[in-house]
């Protein structure tokens, strides 16, 4: 019998028994035909690959991530995925949607069409994330309809505004959920529900949101699984307690691993979803269970019944790996064709200026002055209790702290306080809003950082300890039409250009990784203490992530879902 490819003498992973089985695998027309003992006596193969007793795994599948978090284009992202064995992803482009709306989503879809990795998109559901911010674009119900009816969509992306589900029946979020349940009853709905328990959690599930990818605890994870929710475990949830729970309990059908947000330097140095599999095995999880949670369960969650397993009729996306503990790919096959070999050159395709012209001119702000970092308040001269956003290492959550700061001549004397200033400037030319607050904790202790990569609205965010450095950092970002800049005592320490919508670069992954590493080092040199300083600062403006965040409207009490004042009066 003729086949296109025969892989001999491998230890193939069987997803249905969660075991490795020795044998051969035959591929025909891009799909698995056979796996078993039969070999060349049965199959006349156009190509024969010696398995040499290596492991043959299904291609890894990541069902919750944001390409924009790596700050590269889909083509560059695909290049990184393939060499790490990730053959299918479900990206949600709500970052580019916050900048350009429906058009931004379509541009990301278009940019993904020629990628080697399959990209089945999640349609953004929460753009902007809340009504407490100004974004460049929005996604409305009519936009959802257009995308769902014309594009390759896997699911409704994470519903982020869980406060609105619970507290406001007439909210945009509830209208979207009602529309989806009525018109697309079979569509998968992804969720973002940090810390919710008991009735609040059940109300969110009742509304149709039946997964959660946020930071997990044992209590929260048990509550979610008991209520029928699917758990997507990202690295920050891989604590000893959570991993021991997943190892010791029979919950394989209720969770998978996802990356969510991967910095370019981590992508280059540690890998992608294969890094989480490697880490899970290193933390004591059986390799079979870790592989199952990165192939079969994510495929089933997204109803991708044609992949996620090595079995007859499945797409021939598979990996050859010598050592499961390292999860380094020897070869990667996509639809039966070899697309990566560790012993062969693997180069990215150049992609310059591949977006519409106006995507490179999205920062519509004049240069700032030192006066733009003076905070005027209407209050008599005295010391006043103020809200302070406290940054915490180990989490993107913040805490609200109250500290006293002097007010003199209607000016907040923040430079004389123990705290830094955090400011955000609306950068789309819509209303000129700006919000100011105080910041402390595990953030910088001197200098300044400015960025347009600020979730999810991507306005200009500036943190610093003196107006001169803050002005310099902000103006460098404005001049570059987006990115990051770190300044100390008038000297630029790092300057990452993100000219596509203020959030993406078209430079190669290796170059971006080196620049991101330099950026991280510069932030740490100013005293930033965090496992991921870039993700930490970029979520200071995310008003769905507890507890105190900032937008162009001012400080946001996330749990209450409302704007709160910098000064605590009365």
């Amino acid at each position: 019998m003729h086949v296109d490819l025969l892989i001999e003498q491998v230890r193939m992973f069987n997803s249905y028994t969660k075991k490795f089985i020795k044998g051969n695998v035959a591929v025909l027309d891009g799909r698995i035909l056979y796996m078993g003992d039969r070999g060349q006596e049965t199959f006349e193969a156009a190509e024969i690959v010696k398995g040499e007793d290596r492991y043959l795994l299904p291609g890894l599948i990541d069902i919750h991530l944001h390409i924009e978090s790596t700050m590269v284009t889909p083509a560059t992202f695909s290049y990184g995925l393939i060499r790490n064995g990730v053959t299918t992803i479900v990206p949600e482009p709500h970052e580019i949607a916050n900048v350009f709306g429906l058009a931004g989503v379509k541009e990301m879809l278009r940019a993904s069409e020629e990628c080697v990795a399959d990209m089945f998109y999640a349609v953004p559901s929460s753009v902007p994330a809340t009504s407490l911010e100004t974004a460049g674009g929005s996604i409305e119900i009519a936009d959802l309809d257009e995308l769902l009816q014309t594009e390759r969509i896997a699911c409704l992306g994470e519903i982020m505004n869980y406060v609105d589900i619970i507290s406001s029946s007439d909210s945009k979020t509830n209208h979207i959920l009602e529309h989806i349940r009525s018109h697309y009853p079979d569509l998968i709905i992804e969720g973002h529900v940090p810390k919710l328990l008991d009735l609040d959690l059940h109300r969110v599930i009742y509304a149709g949101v039946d997964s959660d990818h946020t930071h997990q605890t044992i209590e929260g994870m048990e509550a979610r699984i008991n209520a029928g929710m699917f758990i997507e475990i990202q690295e920050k949830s891989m604590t000893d307690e959570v991993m021991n729970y997943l190892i010791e309990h029979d919950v394989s059908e209720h969770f998978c691993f996802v990356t969510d947000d991967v910095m370019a330097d981590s992508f280059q140095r540690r890998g992608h979803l294969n890094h989480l599999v490697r880490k899970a095995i290193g933390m004591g999880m059986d390799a079979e269970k870790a592989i199952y949670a990165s192939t079969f369960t994510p495929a089933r969650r997204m109803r991708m019944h044609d992949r996620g397993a090595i079995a007859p009729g499945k797409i021939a996306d598979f990996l050859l790996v010598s050592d499961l503990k390292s999860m380094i790919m020897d070869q990667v096959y996509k639809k039966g064709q070899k697309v990566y070999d560790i012993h062969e050159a693997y180069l990215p395709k150049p992609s310059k200026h591949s977006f519409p012209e106006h995507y490179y001119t999205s920062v519509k702000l004049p240069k700032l002055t030192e006066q733009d970092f003076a905070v005027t308040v209407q209050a008599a001269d005295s010391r006043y209790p103020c809200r302070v956003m406290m940054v915490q290492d180990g989490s993107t959550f913040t805490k609200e702290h109250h500290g006293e700061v002097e007010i003199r001549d209607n000016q907040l004397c923040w430079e004389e306080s123990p705290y830094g200033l955090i400011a955000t400037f609306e950068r789309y030319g819509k209303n000129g809003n700006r919000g100011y607050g105080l910041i402390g904790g595990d953030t910088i202790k001197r200098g300044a950082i400015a960025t347009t990569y600020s979730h999810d609205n991507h306005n200009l965010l500036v943190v610093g300890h003196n107006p001169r450095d803050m002005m310099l950092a902000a103006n460098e970002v404005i001049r570059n039409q987006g990115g990051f800049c770190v300044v100390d005592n008038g000297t630029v320490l790092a300057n990452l250009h993100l000219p596509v919508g203020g959030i993406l670069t078209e430079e190669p992954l290796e170059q971006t990784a080196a620049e991101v590493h330099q950026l991280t080092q510069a932030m740490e040199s100013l005293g930033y203490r965090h496992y991921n300083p870039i993700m930490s600062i970029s979520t200071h403006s995310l008003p769905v992530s507890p507890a105190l965040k900032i937008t162009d409207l001012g400080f946001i009490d996330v749990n209450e879902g409302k704007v709160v004042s910098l000064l605590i009066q009365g």
Side-chain angles (χ1 to χ4, degrees), residues 172-231:
K172 177 181 175 180
T173 301
N174 277 314
H175 287 313
I176 286 173
L177 286 169
E178 290 165 8
H179 182 77
I180 294 298
R181 291 197 304 268
S182 297
H183 294 84
Y184 311 95
D186 296 327
L187 188 68
I188 299 158
I189 301 175
E190 292 285 274
H192 171 114
V193 288
K195 296 189 174 182
L196 288 192
L197 293 170
D198 198 47
L199 179 58
D200 286 345
L201 176 65
H202 289 199
R203 289 180 67 185
V204 168
I205 299 172
Y206 181 83
V209 181
D210 63 350
S211 78
D212 182 34
H213 69 275
T214 58
H215 198 163
Q216 299 297 327
T217 62
I218 298 300
E219 180 187 23
M221 193 162 53
E222 281 192 319
R224 282 153 177 73
I225 292 173
N226 287 337
M229 200 172 234
F230 187 78
I231 308 297

Side-chain angles (χ1 to χ4, degrees), residues 34-294:
Y34 172 82
M35 4 90 76
D37 294 330
R38 293 179 180 270
Q40 294 186 51
E41 78 285 354
T42 301
F43 301 110
E44 180 184 341
E47 180 183 0
I48 297 174
V49 173
K50 300 296 183 183
E52 299 172 330
D53 213 29
R54 290 177 293 173
Y55 298 94
L56 189 146
L57 317 177
L60 304 182
I61 299 173
D62 191 340
I63 62 171
H64 182 85
L65 60 84
H66 310 284
I67 294 174
E68 303 100 311
S69 293
T70 310
M71 299 182 278
V72 297
T73 61
T76 302
F77 198 77
S78 175
Y79 161 81
L81 290 174
I82 291 300
R83 68 182 183 186
N84 287 291
V86 183
T87 54
T88 300
I89 62 171
V90 180
E92 183 188 336
H94 71 224
E95 311 299 353
I96 200 80
N98 270 277
V99 181
F100 296 116
L102 175 64
V105 176
K106 288 193 167 186
E107 283 299 325
M108 287 294 281
L109 286 161
R110 182 191 61 79
S112 305
E113 289 174 353
E114 302 302 320
C115 292
V116 176
D118 283 335
M119 299 184 182
F120 300 95
Y121 275 77
V123 58
S125 64
S126 303
V127 178
T130 72
S131 60
L132 304 174
E133 58 195 312
T134 303
S138 66
I139 298 293
E140 306 300 330
I141 287 176
D143 301 320
L144 296 177
D145 285 336
E146 182 171 342
L147 290 167
L148 288 167
Q149 293 167 16
T150 63
E151 304 289 352
R152 188 167 68 168
I153 301 298
C155 63
L156 184 68
E158 57 181 301
I159 293 287
M160 301 181 73
N161 199 339
Y162 55 89
V163 174
D164 270 5
I165 295 177
I166 297 164
S167 62
S168 177
S169 60
D170 196 38
S171 65
K172 177 181 175 180
T173 301
N174 277 314
H175 287 313
I176 286 173
L177 286 169
E178 290 165 8
H179 182 77
I180 294 298
R181 291 197 304 268
S182 297
H183 294 84
Y184 311 95
D186 296 327
L187 188 68
I188 299 158
I189 301 175
E190 292 285 274
H192 171 114
V193 288
K195 296 189 174 182
L196 288 192
L197 293 170
D198 198 47
L199 179 58
D200 286 345
L201 176 65
H202 289 199
R203 289 180 67 185
V204 168
I205 299 172
Y206 181 83
V209 181
D210 63 350
S211 78
D212 182 34
H213 69 275
T214 58
H215 198 163
Q216 299 297 327
T217 62
I218 298 300
E219 180 187 23
M221 193 162 53
E222 281 192 319
R224 282 153 177 73
I225 292 173
N226 287 337
M229 200 172 234
F230 187 78
I231 308 297
E232 296 164 2
I233 299 291
Q234 56 175 297
E235 185 170 12
K236 66 184 179 183
S237 289
M238 295 176 71
T239 62
D240 288 336
E241 294 79 9
V242 167
M243 291 303 296
N244 287 338
Y245 182 91
L246 296 175
I247 290 167
E248 294 167 4
H249 292 78
D250 184 19
V251 293
S252 290
E253 310 308 316
H254 306 294
F255 82 93
C256 72
F257 291 116
V258 299
T259 57
D260 197 7
D261 305 295
V262 177
M263 295 292 104
D265 56 340
S266 175
F267 202 171
Q268 174 71 11
R269 177 171 46 90
R270 301 192 302 176
H272 197 260
L273 190 58
N274 58 324
H275 165 63
L276 269 63
V277 176
R278 180 193 310 126
K279 183 170 182 173
I281 295 171
M283 295 181 76
M285 181 174 281
D286 290 341
E288 293 86 345
K289 193 169 185 177
I291 293 164
Y292 189 79
S294 56

